[in-house]
Amino acid sequence: MTPERFETWLTVDRKGLYCRPGGFHIDPYGGAKRAVVTHGHSDHARPGHDHVLATRETLGVMQVRLGKTAQKESQAVAYGERVSIGDVAVTLFPAGHVLGSAQVLIEWKGARAVVSGDYKRSSDPTCLGFELVPCHLFITEATFALPVFQHGDASEEAAKLLKSRAQFPDRAHVVGVYGLGKCQRLIALLRGAGYDRPIYLHGALSECCALYESFGVRLGALKPATGAPRDELKGQIVLAPPSAIADRWSRRLPDPVTAFASGWMRVRARARQQGVELPLVISDHADWRELVATIAETGAEEVWVTHGREDALLHHIETSGLRGRALALIGREDEDQ
Ligand SMILES: [Zn+2]
Ligand SMILES: [Zn+2]
């Protein structure tokens, strides 16, 4: 086979990554004719496309978060279901990032390209685990692509939170979490550790939790934090969007311990700067080891890096004898770490 170089049919234009023989963009900026969307985070699922192909779960997230502006038409596909778009075949595989998240396999003239979207390899009870897809071109994220990023075991971080709660039974623990994915994963981790009390939610988090429940992810008893009497919140765990933990909103909680669940909490200075007393290193992105291992396991001879800290990863790719390229797509990482 003399394959056409990937650059000739997978291009980058104003709207982002474009598959020419398929006539569609992947995770484009607003207003694409045809979009394949990897997952529901706002830096990937944008409003205003004419047609969106995604998993049922991702379309559900887009409906909840974007409402009428989500898209004009949509097509839900199951993981592993191979569909033709234009001259290419497209198949979605689990990415292990958040509920409904998918890697996109694009096959054209015998060449296989995989767009990973965001992904992680560690276990997450709230979504299907990452599935390795052999390919010639692997397009990877690089959010935590520095060797210092090694995420460790998320359940140990949940145990830290429970230990702190036992230590300070009269204080509330307010934990900053991103609304899609991190919130539900932390709840599931706490449930897995045997914590069965109600977990209190900032109003901005309730819709996504309800959506997870509607897809069969059990989260246990959840209660609105707003309107709950101050005394009731003593000794409780309260989840809130990161913007709310340092805000007036959390000041009415009883003597709150401020926590934040994010891969960035590995960086102590960042935690301090944000006034986080209890940093919880829980990430929904691949860490350095996972990125490096995944690139090797796909068998790809060419690797493109979409967003994040691409320099170290590109260096690694090239010293491994693979062809590397930075796509430098802008506007990523708005939301989810
Ligand atoms: Zn994401
Ligand atoms: Zn992202």
Side-chain angles (χ1 to χ4, degrees), residues 39-44 97-98 117-119 284-285 307 335-337:
H39 66 287
H41 280 143
S42 59
D43 52 331
H44 298 260
H97 175 58
V98 297
D118 293 337
Y119 66 99
D284 287 330
H285 292 270
H307 61 299
E335 179 184 20
D336 62 288
Q337 289 102 23

Side-chain angles (χ1 to χ4, degrees), residues 20-334:
R20 193 174 44 77
F24 61 88
H25 286 86
I26 298 114
D27 291 350
Y29 313 114
K33 258 192 149 52
R34 232 193 134 104
V36 174
V37 173
T38 60
H39 66 287
H41 280 143
S42 59
D43 52 331
H44 298 260
R46 293 169 189 271
H49 307 312
D50 286 350
H51 184 282
V52 171
L53 180 143
T55 61
R56 213 160 52 88
E57 292 86 343
T58 294
L59 291 174
V61 172
M62 291 177 77
Q63 199 56 52
V64 162
R65 302 187 125 192
L66 303 172
K68 281 194 165 59
T69 65
Q71 67 269 318
K72 294 197 184 102
E73 285 172 51
S74 64
Q75 181 182 359
V77 292
Y79 291 121
E81 180 186 345
R82 198 163 179 266
V83 295
S84 299
I85 311 179
D87 294 333
V88 305
V90 168
T91 316
L92 304 183
F93 291 92
H97 175 58
V98 297
L99 182 73
S101 65
Q103 309 170 72
V104 184
L105 168 67
I106 306 168
E107 295 169 277
W108 186 55
K109 294 187 175 176
R112 292 163 62 88
V114 168
V115 184
S116 72
D118 293 337
Y119 66 99
K120 69 172 176 291
R121 305 293 297 269
S122 52
S123 83
D124 180 341
T126 66
C127 65
L128 285 179
F130 178 93
E131 198 173 318
L132 188 81
V133 185
C135 55
H136 304 107
L137 167 66
F138 185 56
I139 304 183
T140 185
E141 64 140 318
T143 307
F144 290 107
L146 285 174
V148 303
F149 289 112
Q150 301 198 3
H151 295 322
D153 186 348
S155 53
E156 282 173 25
E157 301 298 298
K160 254 188 229 170
L161 174 59
L162 292 175
K163 193 174 154 209
S164 175
R165 193 195 144 264
Q167 231 169 349
F168 303 108
D170 289 330
R171 302 177 69 183
H173 279 68
V174 59
V175 190
V177 288
Y178 291 95
L180 170 62
K182 193 61 56 66
C183 171
Q184 298 78 21
R185 186 181 181 201
L186 181 58
I187 293 170
L189 285 166
L190 293 169
R191 299 308 186 204
Y195 186 73
D196 55 9
R197 289 187 170 207
I199 291 173
Y200 290 78
L201 299 179
H202 183 284
L205 302 176
S206 58
E207 263 190 331
C208 262
C209 287
L211 186 78
Y212 269 63
E213 293 252 337
S214 76
F215 280 104
V217 179
R218 295 268 155 271
L219 300 175
L222 305 175
K223 281 189 169 182
T226 309
R230 202 180 144 89
D231 271 356
E232 186 183 320
L233 295 173
K234 281 186 176 174
Q236 306 291 2
I237 293 173
V238 181
L239 305 187
S243 59
I245 59 170
D247 184 65
R248 289 232 321 268
W249 186 85
S250 70
R251 264 181 254 149
R252 48 170 216 92
L253 303 173
D255 192 16
V257 176
T258 305
F260 189 3
S262 162
W264 294 112
M265 290 298 104
R266 176 66 71 212
V267 185
R268 292 280 153 187
R270 197 145 169 167
R272 259 199 315 275
Q273 204 178 32
Q274 294 176 333
V276 175
E277 287 171 74
L278 182 64
L280 304 171
V281 187
I282 303 178
S283 169
D284 287 330
H285 292 270
D287 67 6
W288 175 257
R289 288 171 306 186
E290 293 172 45
L291 291 167
V292 164
T294 305
I295 286 169
E297 288 168 26
T298 61
E301 57 250 24
E302 187 163 339
V303 181
W304 295 355
V305 182
T306 51
H307 61 299
R309 274 131 216 86
E310 50 261 53
D311 292 354
L313 195 59
L314 278 171
H315 179 76
H316 166 83
I317 289 163
E318 278 153 17
T319 53
S320 309
L322 310 176
R323 234 167 79 79
R325 179 185 171 205
L327 286 186
L329 297 176
I330 49 161
R332 293 282 190 253
E333 277 194 78
D334 290 340

